[in-house]
Amino acid sequence: MQNELTVRISGEAGQGMQTIGSALCKVFKKAGYHIFANQDYMSRIRGGNNFFQIRVGERPFYTLREKPDITVALDKASITLGPENFLFNVPIYDMAKKTGGGEIFVNSVACGVILGVMKIDFSFLSEVLREAFSDKGEEIIKKNIDCAGEGFNFASQNCPPDIPVCGGIKLKGTGGERLLMNGNEALALGAIRAGCKFYSAYPMTPSTGIMNTIAEYAKDFNIVVEQAEDEIAAVNMIIGASFAGIRSMTGTSGGGFCLMVEGLSLAGMTETPIVVADAQRPAPATGFPTRTEQADLEFLLHAGHGEFARAVFSPGSIEEAFYLVIKAFNLAEKYQIPVLIMTDQHLADSYRDIEMLDYDKVKIQRYIISRSAGSYKRYQFTETGISPRAIPGRIEDVIYADSDEHTEEGHITEDAEIRKKMVEKRFYKKMLGLSQEVEKPTVYNAKDADIILLGFGSTYGVMKEVCESVNTKKLGFIHLSQVWPLPIAHLVELFEESKKLITVENNAGAQLARLIMGETGVKIDRSILKYDGRPFNLDYLTREVLKEAEYAETRGFQEQ
Amino acid sequence: MLKPEDFKSSDEIAWCPGCGDFGILNSVKKALVKLDRPPRDILLVSGIGQAAKLPHYVKANCFNGLHGRAIPAAVGAKIANRNLVVMVTTGDGDCYGEGGNHFIHNIRRNIDITVVVHNNQIYGLTKGQASPTTDPGFVTKFQPGGVILDPLHPLELAIVLGCGFVARGYSADTEHLSSLILEGIRHKGFSLVDVLQPCVTFNKKNTYEWYSKRIYKVNEDKSYNPEDRVMAIEKTHEWGDKIPIGIIYREEKKSYEERYGLNKIPPLVDEKVEDIDIKEILRGYA
């Protein structure tokens, strides 16, 4: 009996893969299973080929498998049969028309079929359908449940018994509520919790979901969500809003981030806190609008003309995305800097079932003064480089902020000495402070391992599962959820002479390797790079890593 | 009652002697005195250019941002704190060129800010290139054969976009200009005050002499109805022997704050954010 199964729902855009997939995720979760779901879609609204893939099983998953065990083909093109495949023909459109009275019910039929094949209790599906159509009235609910039942019965009666199924094995006592959420939703909810009151963005895949989610709850939390006319407007609006005292954020992808670059520089110069999320996708230019990549690392580290302090987070999981965005706001306001959050389409769109989020864990800290000893100077020189920050209209004095080089009072100056001190303030001193409170990397078996995988962002899940599943003590991983400042001391401590260091990255330039080598002086031996627009999966990375392990076993760490 | 000294800044003024900006500065200060809100409640936002230095010369809150991006920064600040009196001081290049897209879309937003454009029909700070409003045929180093583009007509553009307060002033008539600015501030929604302003160093065509021969106050003509859109658009075509100044067009329309509902809640800046309860929405993901 297998303890996991991967189901892929595949078809043309518009056929309902997302509807079916989302419903099934809820069903599997209700049934007590753990899931990891990812979406593969094209940049179009109808036609082409998209799929929604769900990995279901008894233990928590953090990544996907290379090949599905069950493919639900909603169109002919999705039927790709190999010698070991079995084709199970199901007349879902006929069933939808017969039992429901229209093709619109075909998604419910399909859900029923899948449950029948997997031999999962139908009651979970009827519950989910009831909830999904709760606002459509009893008649619609019944029709959907009946159609699902048709599919379920057909599959139960006609599917050959030797096909691998999960087989009704329930998890033992998970206890508490588990949440089903994707990376975009986690960022949005974290931002709401963090007290973000202004989110302005231009729709750009795969970041749009962040804005959708915040917009959904905006009224309840007095948040202004404003679609900007362009990304330049977005970043400048959030800077103006932050200057006037509210936490504000924008999100985009690489191409939109390009347009925000001068704004980053403005935030750095005026010392205005902002949070900017870059949900990466394959580039350059328009690239693959709906796919995944991690090639903006070097860009995010250096974007913005001139030199100023910044922090860059790279959450590895949905939970991390939630907590780190809250930290991002705190850090942005503490140091009065732009804080960037790197995600990618894979993290943005993947679902996992997670524990209820402990949002009390990260305290909200604003670092704002309402009274000044003496006349207020927005850019007062201090030991730490951080000037006390007041909000216009909420302090007696007036406040001057300027994108030109400025005096402590905020007026324009050309003075060389003041310039020198301001650069030191904005760059050296703030970076020093930031480097003393970096997120520790997540470390697994680095001490005992001979081979250490290194990654940032969404490769956390696949590295974790490879290391946990490959039967050797010689493998470990280090994951960076903050890439700037780099946690140099932590890393150097883990890098011993005898270990082979391999970065795992979704880019062609081995950008993480270059960053680590540049900052620590330690040589990265190799990089496993994937830049085809698709995420790493467990099978692919396991193969690549085992190749390395083989070399390690037979010939130490010399290249052949 | 506030006095002019209340808005006096210590910063040294960097404009050329005789610059039209002085007139605009004085007009802004006069308007602020009449408005009678304390300096801490005023926010002047600018981009880059000579016009953009004005906020430093006033005792008020100042955000001097990027070239072309004053309006978005001002809009963000107004959203954050609707109790701030937000004024943008910008130039013809900063507002109509680099910042053109923000000019267009923020008229659509109709957020309650006042945009004062120092329209000297030239780029002063960068030493004499043509601006979007430069007269055709005007010779510059970038345009040695004379400007061949048709000029942008800011007043007409604003009216066509639906701007609810479109006015033009003249920097040498500070009484008149300050009243326009005050009216603009009081108008609920996006207000445009385009100010004709001689650049004594780089614009030898549109000089004080040139303007004074042409300028007349349109509101002194009782038959002129600034609420008549068609008449207003016609009026904006006058640019030759006669140049109208005053309130060219006005219309009451709901501001962004009203449409979004911001006027019904306290300023966002005063929201408590230290302990926001998201338990219920999280439960929605279970």
Side-chain angles (χ1 to χ4, degrees), chain A residues 29 177-181 185 189 192-195 197-198 213 216-219 221-230 232-233 236-237 239-241 243-247 262-263 266 270 272 322 356-357 359-360 364 366 391-404 410-412, chain B residues 9-11 39-43 47-48 53 55-67 69 71-81 83-84 98 101-103 105-106 108-109 256 260-262 265-279 281-283 285-286:
Chain A
K29 188 177 78 78
E177 301 173 306
R178 292 184 71 81
L179 310 176
L180 209 54
M181 182 180 301
E185 288 161 343
L189 296 170
I192 294 173
R193 166 62 187 173
K197 290 300 164 201
F198 183 54
T213 302
E216 205 182 319
Y217 305 112
K219 219 170 163 68
F221 292 92
N222 286 341
I223 300 171
V224 171
V225 174
E226 178 62 22
Q227 183 175 328
E229 59 270 22
D230 57 43
I232 302 179
N236 280 280
M237 283 202 279
I239 289 173
F243 172 71
I246 61 177
R247 290 187 154 190
E262 195 191 16
L266 177 66
T270 57
T272 308
F322 177 83
M356 171 54 83
L357 293 163
Y359 59 83
D360 257 324
I364 310 300
R366 299 211 63 195
I391 304 302
R394 293 293 175 268
I395 192 172
E396 250 333 285
D397 308 60
V398 297
I399 303 174
Y400 293 92
D402 205 308
S403 58
D404 287 80
H411 290 301
I412 298 175
Chain B
S9 158
S10 58
D11 204 23
R40 54 177 267 181
D41 284 349
I42 315 290
L43 172 60
I48 297 298
K53 295 179 181 175
H56 286 288
Y57 309 146
V58 178
K59 185 179 171 192
N61 295 299
C62 151
F63 188 86
N64 184 352
L66 298 172
H67 186 50
R69 319 298 168 192
I71 290 178
V75 167
K78 185 72 182 181
I79 288 174
N81 186 351
N83 282 349
L84 289 173
E98 185 78 48
N101 206 31
H102 311 306
F103 177 69
H105 292 279
N106 282 292
R108 294 176 56 218
R109 279 196 185 97
Y256 178 88
Y260 202 97
L262 287 178
I265 58 174
L268 291 182
V269 68
D270 296 323
E271 287 270 326
K272 286 269 155 290
V273 302
E274 276 74 12
D275 197 11
I276 294 176
D277 186 356
I278 57 168
K279 182 147 255 130
I281 38 174
L282 285 181
R283 286 219 179 96
Y285 288 84

Side-chain angles (χ1 to χ4, degrees), chain B residues 176-192:
Chain B
H176 183 248
L177 178 56
S178 72
S179 72
L180 293 179
I181 292 173
L182 188 58
E183 278 300 299
I185 293 173
R186 288 189 174 138
H187 171 81
K188 190 173 37 88
F190 190 105
S191 309
L192 173 66

Side-chain angles (χ1 to χ4, degrees), chain A residues 375 437 504 543:
Chain A
S375 76
E437 46 178 306
V504 175
R543 280 196 304 273

Side-chain angles (χ1 to χ4, degrees), chain A residues 322-395:
Chain A
F322 177 83
Y323 294 119
L324 285 180
V325 70
I326 304 174
K327 282 197 176 166
F329 277 102
N330 285 346
L331 211 61
E333 288 206 301
K334 181 175 178 184
Y335 288 91
Q336 299 158 29
I337 56 169
V339 176
L340 311 179
I341 304 185
M342 298 178 71
T343 68
D344 53 34
Q345 182 270 329
H346 183 53
L347 182 59
D349 291 337
S350 307
Y351 291 88
R352 271 180 48 235
D353 56 312
I354 62 173
E355 295 290 339
M356 171 54 83
L357 293 163
D358 179 15
Y359 59 83
D360 257 324
K361 205 164 77 165
V362 186
K363 296 283 165 243
I364 310 300
Q365 293 175 288
R366 299 211 63 195
Y367 310 96
I368 291 173
I369 64 159
S370 52
R371 186 183 309 275
S372 172
S375 76
Y376 179 68
K377 298 178 191 176
R378 174 67 186 88
Y379 302 108
Q380 190 185 322
F381 290 128
T382 63
E383 251 323 291
T384 59
I386 303 171
S387 314
R389 177 172 167 238
I391 304 302
R394 293 293 175 268
I395 192 172

